[in-house]
Amino acid sequence: MTVSTFLPDAASEPLVVLVSNRAVLTQPDDSLLLTPATVAISSTTGKIVFVAPSILPRESFPESSTYVDYGNKLILPGLVDAHVHLNEPGRTEWEGFATGTRAAASGGVTTVIDMPLNAIPPTTTLEGFRVKLAAAQGQCWVDVGFYGGVIPGNADQLLPLVEAGVRGFKGFLIESGVEEFPAVSASDIALAMTTLKDTPTTLMFHAEMLPPITDSVGDGVTRSDPPLAPKGELTSYSTFLESRPPAFETYAIEEILSMADLAPQLHLHIVHLSATEAIPILRNARARGVNITAETCFHYLGLASDNIEDGDTRHKCCPPIREQSNQDKLWAELTAGDDSCIRTVVSDHSPCTPELKLLPDHLAVQPESSSQDGGMLRRPSLRFTDSGIDVTLPEEKSTKPDTCCSGHSGEHAAELAHVQQDALSGPQGQGDFFAAWGGISSVGLGLPILYTTASKRNAPLSIVDIVRLCCQATAKQVGLSHRKGGLKVGMDGDVCVFDDEEEWVLRAGDMKWKNKCSPWEGHQFKGRVRETWLRGKKVYALGGQNGGFVSVKPVGEAITERRLV
């Protein structure tokens, strides 16, 4: 049998043919099957044109075909990371399209969806989206889709952004940490829901919220006093964890659900779910017919607060990494099958420059070029307010607004003066979890993290389940399941080649993102991505030329097609 039996024009069609004893294929009913397989991709269109659940020999294909036999290595669909901060333009020193998408490609991720912040301008207006698209042009090593943002006063921009091709929208119920992306109130959420209710899109929320101190859980909440001022050393992770309890997440989710009837068909989604106390709330809502799902992140599944050393601000993120017991419950929900409210797993890659992490000297990142201060990156002048307290230096008080992240008044800033002083204890504030930027760098590392952690836990999470969570379901979440997230005829020829036997330790040199700072450094993994193919073109090969990026130039595209489902 030759492929011409199924593809009469194959003789004139340049093909890339990939075969393996183990591949995860998408069946006609969208179920997934681990099987020996042959996958043929058109070099002209970049689409998969032929799939067989068996290995066909080279002789079955035209001589002009590129035929690669991967033996027992796994062939998987390219991963779809539906939560990545690329930050360009405006904060390109934190991350950019070129470096962020290279990191994605090195980990088998062939599609990333860029968050509407922390770029300047954010993707909250049609003009902001155009600026971002212009910045991305010619830089992307994988395909990139985009989210829009929901902030106070931009409801008139939402439908134009849908028409322009954004994949969904994100809003914060607590301050984001950057002033150009403020938190939304209850009225803002209601307006966004009613505006988008008849639109094929996803409305997502960073679901943390200050517990209500007023009688209402509405607009006043984001302007109320901070409920939990830090009690303890600000270099202690336990102090930071106690300042952002599970109630922050449960109150926010309840607030969102209280308005869900305004748009019963609209897909609502909770990003980076951390607190398992929210799971019964989400399950009950889904049982009532509310169209709501959640995602969790690789760091919540693989890191636990029990093991975080004081001062190691590489681990700071919001919501926080919680206790081992909480992680165990996240895994229980993740592996609950069709009943689970956690439908996807993503990176939430949210990088910054190393100095903004305020690392103590023994963890400080060495810059690639030497500097006059001996190579250590020092405390920045920029302050972030994502932890809910004012950490402004006393000498800056005359030049900065007398407020902190939740709109606190001047008298309130005075009440927190002792917090400011404590925040600056230690050399240049190093190891301060409240002043450091919150975010974990891990784009492209998710597959080894998830595979390794599941193996160590003996969790009932197979490679097929990982494909479902990180490829198929993430593609569906952003309306791209017709072309991304599966190995099936007609879909993009995006392929990840994964060696599930290789053991390795992550070093700074393995990090392909811009700033080599991550809590995963030094962790040992089982399983490594060997190659990544994007629409039939090999873009990454471990150990290959140019750091592994074997294509001559970036071949990724900006995805701006209007979402239909």
Side-chain angles (χ1 to χ4, degrees):
M1 181 180 68
T2 66
V3 73
S4 60
T5 305
F6 305 96
L7 298 172
D9 298 328
S12 60
E13 176 81 352
L15 297 176
V16 171
V17 182
L18 310 179
V19 303
S20 171
N21 293 321
R22 297 183 301 158
V24 178
L25 304 182
T26 303
Q27 301 290 85
D29 63 356
D30 285 337
S31 62
L32 299 172
L33 176 66
L34 179 63
T35 177
T38 301
V39 178
I41 306 166
S42 165
S43 297
T44 303
T45 66
K47 297 289 186 180
I48 298 173
V49 294
F50 174 80
V51 175
S54 61
I55 295 178
L56 299 184
R58 181 187 297 270
E59 294 74 26
S60 300
F61 299 90
E63 291 184 3
S64 60
S65 299
T66 299
Y67 185 97
V68 185
D69 186 345
Y70 289 107
N72 207 43
K73 293 181 177 62
L74 283 155
I75 291 180
L76 310 176
L79 278 69
V80 178
D81 192 339
H83 193 144
V84 175
H85 296 264
L86 293 174
N87 301 341
E88 188 174 4
R91 291 191 175 94
T92 310
E93 70 274 16
W94 294 14
E95 188 66 277
F97 286 104
T99 49
T101 58
R102 280 164 68 98
S106 72
V109 177
T110 52
T111 307
V112 300
I113 312 299
D114 178 59
M115 280 291 166
L117 73 164
N118 300 301
I120 304 173
T123 314
T124 53
T125 65
L126 191 57
E127 179 57 29
F129 187 32
R130 290 171 178 153
V131 171
K132 179 166 286 260
L133 288 173
Q137 189 171 3
Q139 293 205 74
C140 299
W141 290 79
V142 301
D143 289 348
V144 181
F146 303 87
Y147 290 122
V150 175
I151 62 172
N154 83 323
D156 64 327
Q157 296 291 309
L158 303 185
L159 292 180
L161 283 167
V162 170
E163 292 296 324
V166 300
R167 316 314 303 171
F169 295 90
K170 179 184 182 181
F172 277 70
L173 275 72
I174 198 169
E175 292 301 324
S176 68
V178 292
E179 62 183 2
E180 65 274 2
F181 206 95
V184 290
S185 67
S187 58
D188 297 319
I189 296 171
L191 185 56
M193 286 184 175
T194 54
T195 300
L196 296 171
K197 66 178 182 178
D198 297 320
T199 304
T201 193
T202 298
L203 181 57
M204 310 179 300
F205 297 96
H206 179 125
E208 285 187 290
M209 180 178 180
L210 300 181
I213 299 172
T214 61
D215 291 335
S216 164
V217 290
D219 295 2
V221 172
T222 58
R223 295 188 295 273
S224 61
D225 291 345
L228 295 176
K231 298 177 181 177
E233 293 293 331
L234 301 189
T235 56
S236 170
Y237 187 80
S238 62
T239 304
F240 171 65
L241 182 58
E242 290 168 4
S243 76
R244 293 186 93 105
F248 274 37
E249 295 187 62
T250 57
Y251 274 116
I253 291 171
E254 287 172 342
E255 175 81 339
I256 295 160
L257 290 171
S258 72
M259 292 176 274
D261 60 343
L262 295 174
Q265 303 305 313
L266 181 62
H267 178 209
L268 306 176
H269 184 71
I270 305 302
V271 300
H272 48 51
L273 180 72
S274 167
T276 54
E277 287 83 351
I279 289 174
I281 300 170
L282 291 167
R283 276 181 165 257
N284 290 338
R286 288 171 57 82
R288 299 194 309 269
V290 179
N291 186 11
I292 189 167
T293 56
E295 68 189 36
T296 195
C297 300
F298 303 116
H299 45 273
Y300 298 134
L301 295 169
L303 301 172
S305 63
D306 312 54
N307 304 315
I308 299 176
E309 296 182 1
D310 289 353
D312 191 350
T313 50
R314 295 176 300 176
H315 293 81
K316 181 188 174 180
C317 60
C318 300
I321 296 165
R322 302 191 187 276
E323 304 86 352
Q324 183 66 58
S325 58
N326 184 84
Q327 186 192 98
D328 294 342
K329 294 174 184 176
L330 279 177
W331 273 95
E333 181 67 13
L334 187 71
T335 55
D338 292 340
D339 292 334
S340 177
C341 64
I342 301 175
R343 312 304 288 184
T344 54
V345 184
V346 296
S347 71
D348 188 12
H349 176 69
S350 185
C352 64
T353 55
E355 63 265 35
L356 295 179
K357 275 295 188 181
L358 303 180
L359 293 168
D361 284 344
H362 72 285
L363 293 174
V365 176
Q366 295 285 346
E368 293 185 2
S369 58
S370 60
S371 61
Q372 294 180 351
D373 64 358
M376 293 297 181
L377 296 170
R378 316 310 295 177
R379 183 183 179 94
S381 59
L382 187 60
R383 299 290 177 268
F384 295 103
T385 55
D386 63 332
S387 294
I389 65 167
D390 186 345
V391 292
T392 307
L393 286 165
E395 61 266 26
E396 295 175 325
K397 298 301 286 186
S398 61
T399 59
K400 292 190 69 177
D402 206 8
T403 60
C404 62
C405 82
S406 298
H408 306 314
S409 64
E411 64 178 349
H412 209 262
E415 292 174 8
L416 290 174
H418 70 286
V419 172
Q420 298 168 12
Q421 295 303 320
D422 288 345
L424 297 173
S425 61
Q428 311 243 350
Q430 294 169 335
D432 180 348
F433 280 100
F434 290 83
W437 175 258
I440 304 291
S441 292
S442 64
V443 66
L445 198 58
L447 183 53
I449 292 171
L450 202 53
Y451 186 81
T452 301
T453 308
S455 299
K456 287 181 178 179
R457 299 179 63 96
N458 292 317
L461 192 77
S462 67
I463 194 66
V464 171
D465 294 320
I466 292 174
V467 168
R468 172 176 53 83
L469 291 163
C470 301
C471 306
Q472 185 180 57
T474 44
K476 181 180 179 182
Q477 179 180 310
V478 296
L480 289 173
S481 58
H482 61 291
R483 57 177 288 199
K484 299 291 186 182
L487 299 180
K488 183 179 179 180
V489 171
M491 302 185 77
D492 288 356
D494 298 350
V495 176
C496 165
V497 181
F498 185 60
D499 182 350
D500 58 343
E501 293 296 326
E502 181 172 347
E503 296 188 3
W504 61 291
V505 176
L506 179 72
R507 304 300 184 193
D510 299 313
M511 302 178 194
K512 306 300 184 183
W513 48 81
K514 178 166 289 188
N515 294 292
K516 317 304 183 188
C517 179
S518 174
W520 293 106
E521 184 175 0
H523 281 249
Q524 182 166 345
F525 296 106
K526 183 177 182 181
R528 194 167 196 180
V529 171
R530 304 297 303 185
E531 291 183 5
T532 303
W533 295 72
L534 177 68
R535 286 180 278 105
K537 294 183 174 66
K538 187 192 294 185
V539 294
Y540 177 79
L542 182 66
Q545 61 186 8
N546 192 29
F549 299 97
V550 296
S551 58
V552 176
K553 60 181 180 179
V555 295
E557 298 176 351
I559 299 173
T560 57
E561 63 182 67
R562 190 184 188 280
R563 182 169 176 171
L564 299 178
V565 293

